[in-house]
């Protein structure tokens, strides 16, 4: 690979790092062609981009990036694949599901919304991260709950002013 080609790859990697807030680093070495194809298919279905990268070029892209990748460059040894996703826990779920039938891929580390996770033992914690949509759903459910209680209580008071006042006074106490 020429110096110009390396520079081009580093620029492309730097742009990918800048455009993504959820970046996983995994080791998929040891997977046969069929398993690799199955993993790529699972990633595609989950809207995850999977790319094998050269560690030295990825380190240079991380250094050129405006993001703070902490200790992630230190784990870039051996085979490394990068998984980019819009959903923070999607790659972790794909890895966990895939590992039911294989010992790979191994999680090396992840950069999720500026938080850094290092090591395969972090996989379960990453699976449990809620997506933005899940968090919004939880907030909406929490906000709806008190309103439903008030409406229910008002309806049970018969809808008369006395019943409404009684219900409201009970809620205050």
């Amino acid at each position: 690979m020429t110096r110009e080609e390396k520079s081009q790859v580093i620029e492309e990697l730097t742009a990918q790092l800048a455009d993504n807030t959820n970046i996983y680093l995994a080791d998929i070495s040891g997977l046969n062609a069929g398993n690799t194809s199955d993993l790529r298919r699972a990633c595609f279905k989950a809207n995850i981009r999977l790319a094998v990268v050269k560690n030295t070029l990825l380190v240079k892209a991380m250094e050129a990036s405006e993001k703070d990748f902490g200790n992630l460059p230190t784990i870039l040894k051996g085979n490394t694949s990068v998984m980019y996703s819009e959903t923070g826990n999607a790659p972790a779920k794909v890895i966990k599901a895939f590992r039911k039938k294989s010992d790979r891929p191994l999680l090396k580390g992840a950069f999720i919304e500026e938080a850094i996770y290092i090591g395969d033992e972090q996989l379960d914690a990453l699976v449990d991260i809620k997506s933005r949509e899940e968090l919004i759903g939880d907030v909406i459910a929490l906000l709806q709950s008190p309103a439903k209680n008030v409406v229910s209580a008002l309806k049970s008071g018969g809808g008369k002013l006395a019943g409404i006042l009684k219900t409201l006074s009970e809620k205050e106490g």
Side-chain angles (χ1 to χ4, degrees), residues 1 7 10 16 29 31 42 47 57 59 69 71 79 92 114 119 121 125 128 145 155 162-163:
M1 184 178 279
S7 294
I10 292 168
Q16 289 292 329
S29 67
L31 292 179
N47 200 24
L57 301 180
V59 168
F69 288 99
N71 289 335
N79 181 296
E114 299 182 16
E121 63 278 357
D128 292 338
S145 182
K155 285 182 179 176

Side-chain angles (χ1 to χ4, degrees), residues 17-39:
L17 295 175
D19 292 344
N20 290 280
T21 56
N22 303 303
I23 303 163
Y24 280 67
L25 304 173
D27 178 357
I28 65 170
S29 67
L31 292 179
N32 63 29
N35 287 341
T36 301
S37 182
D38 291 344
L39 177 62

Side-chain angles (χ1 to χ4, degrees), residues 67-78:
K67 294 179 181 175
D68 180 8
F69 288 99
N71 289 335
L72 283 179
T74 64
I75 63 169
L76 295 174
K77 294 171 178 54

